Amino acid sequence: MGDLPGIVITGASGRMGQMLIRTVLESGKAKLVGAVERAGSPWVGRDVGEAMGGAALGVICTDDPLEAFAKAQAVIDFTAPAATVEFAALAAQARAVHVIGTTGLEAEHLAKIAAAAHHAVIVRAGNMSLGVNLLVKLTQKVAQALDADWDIEIIEAHHNRKVDAPSGTALMLGEAAAEGRGVALADVRDSGRDGITGARQRGDIGFSAIRGGDIVGEHDVLFASPGERIVLRHVATDRAIFARGALKAALWGQDKAPGAYDMLDVLGL
Ligand SMILES: NC(=O)C1=CN([C@@H]2O[C@H](COP(=O)(O)OP(=O)(O)OC[C@H]3O[C@@H](n4cnc5c(N)ncnc54)[C@H](OP(=O)(O)O)[C@@H]3O)[C@@H](O)[C@H]2O)C=CC1
Ligand SMILES: O=C(O)C1=N[C@H](C(=O)O)C[C@H](O)C1
């Protein structure tokens, strides 16, 4: 165990936080050395194993990220944009690999993360699963092969606790489609139609978001033209796929030079 990379999980009590803790513990490839929650969380000061309803693990959840990161070779972070920006600077200070799964990041957050990547390895992706990253490549190839007679629409569905839309995955797919078309997504993005919107603009990439129940994550990329349609689809049924991808990224990053990477780098796609 001594030589295994030490991992800190931020947002430890969250849906992904708890899944990540279980994944690290079961992997045999890394050891859990810390868990971080925000000040005031009932988890702070508790053993994380007990907080998850099991046996004690000897890892106490803290609200002091710097203290936790100092012991870590990697920080896996699925939290919220403001927290992730703070963690990026602190992980870089500790020279720990920072794996970012947080979505809903705006340009101002991304600029700060890029600055931290000058000093440490950062792997960021709106979706860490193998299947979605493969879908990203397929989307780019299909969009490249088809002209703007084919309307591109991205439809995503998630659980009713999700706070951002379009999902990080939908935006990855939109970026891939735009790249395939040789355009900038910002110039063709059409999100949140409502009311008298006018007819669809040729070349636009549309986004629709469904929120309900406990849907883990579903993404369709629709290519629609007169007389025929192509649908590329990914359905996630278990959050373990994201946690496994994140742990793979944390291990992959151990011998890499400082910089900004994504899951396509990790998976060699
Ligand atoms: N890239 C990928 O593959 C995936 C990405 N995600 C993304 O991961 C993020 C988290 O998702 P999910 O786990 O469902 O959300 P949850 O709300 O269940 O978990 C987020 C956790 O982060 C905690 N948190 C927020 N701010 C801080 C802070 N400053 N310090 C410490 N902890 C903090 C929250 O605490 P509190 O509740 O007190 O706010 C909560 O426990 C989302 O952005 C989601 O889109 C999700 C799945 C896959
Ligand atoms: O919030 C979620 O749950 C998920 N978020 C990511 C996203 O925004 O795409 C990944 C996955 O779809 C689950």
Side-chain angles (χ1 to χ4, degrees):
M1 278 300 264
D3 292 337
L4 297 179
I7 310 273
V8 168
I9 306 296
T10 59
S13 74
R15 279 174 290 276
M16 280 306 300
Q18 296 194 46
M19 181 58 77
L20 286 157
I21 290 170
R22 279 194 287 274
T23 300
V24 170
L25 292 173
E26 288 164 9
S27 72
K29 295 179 179 165
K31 60 184 182 231
L32 184 72
V33 295
V36 176
E37 255 304 334
R38 66 160 93 242
S41 161
W43 275 44
V44 172
R46 293 190 68 194
D47 183 283
V48 293
E50 289 176 350
M52 287 171 63
L57 294 169
V59 176
I60 305 298
C61 188
T62 177
D63 59 7
D64 181 348
L66 190 54
E67 178 215 338
F69 294 2
K71 294 177 282 190
Q73 278 71 56
V75 174
I76 305 183
D77 174 19
F78 287 61
T79 54
T84 288
V85 165
E86 181 198 342
F87 296 152
L90 297 177
Q93 211 174 311
R95 298 292 185 266
V97 172
H98 188 193
V99 178
I100 300 176
T102 306
T103 59
L105 297 159
E106 307 278 358
E108 68 195 272
H109 304 119
L110 295 173
K112 288 179 180 153
I113 291 167
H118 290 122
H119 308 286
V121 174
I122 296 185
V123 183
R124 183 181 71 81
N127 194 306
M128 301 272 173
S129 73
L130 172 61
V132 157
N133 283 278
L134 198 54
L135 188 67
V136 164
K137 296 301 283 186
L138 294 173
T139 298
Q140 196 251 335
K141 279 194 189 310
V142 175
Q144 194 169 12
L146 301 173
D147 66 19
D149 284 345
W150 292 76
D151 297 328
I152 303 178
E153 292 283 319
I154 298 170
I155 304 112
E156 53 106 335
H158 283 89
H159 54 92
N160 60 18
R161 311 312 298 166
K162 187 162 179 62
V163 297
D164 56 308
S167 68
T169 310
L171 292 171
M172 283 167 70
L173 294 166
E175 291 285 358
E179 195 182 325
R181 280 250 164 109
V183 297
L185 181 59
D187 294 339
V188 295
R189 176 172 163 174
D190 187 2
S191 308
R193 296 186 191 104
D194 189 15
I196 308 293
T197 59
R200 193 183 196 287
Q201 294 290 308
R202 182 181 162 85
D204 273 2
I205 297 178
F207 291 84
S208 309
I210 294 162
R211 295 288 175 265
D214 60 357
I215 302 169
V216 173
E218 301 184 4
H219 293 86
D220 279 8
V221 185
L222 166 69
F223 297 85
S225 80
E228 55 184 328
R229 295 196 290 275
I230 300 166
V231 185
L232 304 180
R233 169 171 298 167
H234 181 267
V235 178
T237 55
D238 187 342
R239 287 186 176 84
I241 62 172
F242 312 128
R244 282 198 294 267
L247 177 58
K248 188 184 269 272
L251 300 176
W252 175 90
Q254 291 304 310
D255 60 0
K256 300 298 177 295
Y261 301 92
D262 61 22
M263 281 307 282
L264 298 178
D265 298 315
V266 174
L267 297 167
L269 292 173

